[in-house]
Amino acid sequence: MMSTNRIGLDVAKSQLLSEKLNNLLANYQILYMNVRGYHWNIQGPSFFELHVKFEEQYNDLLLKVDELAERILTLGHRPLHAFSDYLEQSEIKEHKQACQAQVCVEGLLAGYKLLLEKQRDLMNLAGEAGDEGTAALMNDYIAQQEKTVWMLSAYLAN
């Protein structure tokens, strides 16, 4: 007999999904803080356009942080909420003292590329678990961030 959680998903598969979502959450939190730093510290001729773009990006990241935490709760588990846990689990590292356009955009681009990789893995795992909610969330994030990666890459090509 299969043991299911409150939304009808296999308990063991939900546990694994929650662990991977927590890891994704940690990466989002570090990227969010990095982008806040880019926004605050950007200098040079691209200041005005990047200052606005970074604010747009960190606001979107913050919304996704909340969605990820709520998805973990929906699966019946607890989201990480200590910054020390985020630093320990995140593959994205703190990007200190970044203030030049090229360096900041490269940092954001690298962060999104890592998130895309993790989200594709999660989407596949969610599909195997019959977790339509997590799969749909990852699909939405991937579609949006692929376009962002294209745009950031185009910016760096000039």
Side-chain angles (χ1 to χ4, degrees):
M1 182 173 165
M2 182 165 51
S3 177
T4 59
N5 64 11
R6 63 181 158 221
I7 59 171
L9 296 175
D10 178 83
V11 171
K13 290 177 181 177
S14 294
Q15 172 69 38
L16 178 60
L17 282 164
S18 293
E19 289 170 9
K20 289 190 173 277
L21 284 165
N22 259 319
N23 177 266
L24 184 62
L25 175 63
N27 280 281
Y28 264 92
Q29 285 282 39
I30 301 302
L31 184 59
Y32 166 78
M33 287 306 300
N34 286 347
V35 179
R36 287 297 302 234
Y38 303 157
H39 169 76
W40 291 330
N41 296 303
I42 189 70
Q43 298 175 348
S46 299
F47 171 82
F48 289 106
E49 69 182 290
L50 287 178
H51 184 73
V52 171
K53 180 54 75 176
F54 292 143
E55 182 174 8
E56 174 188 306
Q57 294 298 307
Y58 75 66
N59 283 332
D60 183 65
L61 290 165
L62 187 58
L63 288 173
K64 287 177 172 59
V65 161
D66 191 56
E67 291 172 344
L68 289 169
E70 289 177 353
R71 187 66 197 164
I72 294 164
L73 289 162
T74 300
L75 291 171
H77 298 278
R78 295 248 177 239
L80 297 174
H81 63 276
F83 210 75
S84 57
D85 290 332
Y86 301 144
L87 288 169
E88 184 179 307
Q89 284 209 21
S90 179
E91 285 88 25
I92 297 174
K93 300 302 175 201
E94 293 175 307
H95 196 182
K96 298 177 183 179
Q97 306 304 317
C99 61
Q100 298 304 313
Q102 176 99 11
V103 172
C104 294
V105 173
E106 286 172 351
L108 181 56
L109 182 59
Y112 276 129
K113 286 180 177 181
L114 183 82
L115 293 179
L116 283 167
E117 181 181 314
K118 290 184 165 300
Q119 289 162 169
R120 287 185 182 112
D121 178 54
L122 257 161
M123 187 173 63
N124 291 331
L125 187 61
E128 292 168 8
D131 180 359
E132 301 284 334
T134 299
L137 196 62
M138 295 302 102
N139 186 58
D140 290 347
Y141 291 2
I142 290 165
Q144 179 188 12
Q145 291 165 0
E146 284 176 342
K147 184 174 181 179
T148 301
V149 164
W150 160 64
M151 294 174 114
L152 293 172
S153 297
Y155 179 88
L156 290 173
N158 58 1

